Amino acid sequence: MSAPLRPLLPSFLAALGLLFSPAASMGESASTSTALSASATLDIRIIVPPVIRVLENSHPQLLDAFVDGEASAQQRLVVLSTMKRGFCVSLQRTAPQLGTWEVQTAPQSGIQLSPATNGYRLCGTRPGRYTVLLQHRFGTSDSGANALNWPVQTDISAI
């Protein structure tokens, strides 16, 4: 390495460290200025775009276990978000012939489940990766209920 570039090495390594820091990957921007010589500066700005990504949304394709007018199924939802204020998932019933519908999940930090018009709303309140197990319970007064396609539509949005 040549002698004139040697004083720049610590500044370069510091800027490189900011590029790979965990804070820079959370949907925010980081900025730093490092003096290279008496008359030059290096400005680095890293912008990570906001992202909401559903990594998994698994559930049975059919509800076929109606016993005494009730069926139950589990849905596994894995969401990755870099949104500062989080995200919300809207769960809407698509089968009007089902009478009752209840959703439950184990309490966990940063997740809120609440009833909403025609369904439920599940919200993550900060950036991160969320794995949520939802237990659905459906009821019908139709004693001859047959297997139904999965009766829940899942939509996600930023807060």
Side-chain angles (χ1 to χ4, degrees), residues 9-149:
L9 185 60
S11 298
F12 177 74
L13 291 175
L16 194 58
L18 281 174
L19 181 64
F20 293 107
S21 73
S25 66
M26 295 307 286
E28 300 178 16
S29 64
S31 179
T32 184
S33 293
T34 305
L36 298 177
S37 68
S39 63
T41 60
L42 173 64
D43 291 329
I44 297 176
R45 186 170 180 98
I46 301 167
I47 300 173
V48 176
V51 172
I52 301 174
R53 185 171 177 200
V54 177
L55 301 175
E56 181 181 344
N57 181 10
S58 58
H59 51 76
Q61 293 299 314
L62 295 173
L63 285 179
D64 58 357
F66 280 94
V67 177
D68 295 329
E70 288 192 2
S72 143
Q74 190 174 70
Q75 178 179 14
R76 184 170 193 253
L77 192 60
V78 180
V79 178
L80 175 66
S81 171
T82 62
M83 305 299 291
K84 262 186 183 180
R85 290 180 285 186
F87 65 92
C88 284
V89 175
S90 170
L91 302 168
Q92 300 288 320
R93 180 175 35 195
T94 60
Q97 67 270 35
L98 290 175
T100 61
W101 174 35
E102 294 179 19
V103 178
Q104 295 177 338
T105 187
Q108 70 187 88
S109 176
I111 289 287
Q112 301 166 348
L113 177 66
S114 57
T117 306
N118 297 325
Y120 290 87
R121 185 173 169 97
L122 176 77
C123 295
T125 57
R126 65 188 190 298
R129 179 184 174 126
Y130 295 86
T131 300
V132 183
L133 294 176
L134 299 166
Q135 187 64 43
H136 297 266
R137 203 167 43 235
F138 304 95
T140 181
S141 57
D142 181 4
S143 60
N146 293 323
L148 290 172
N149 287 330

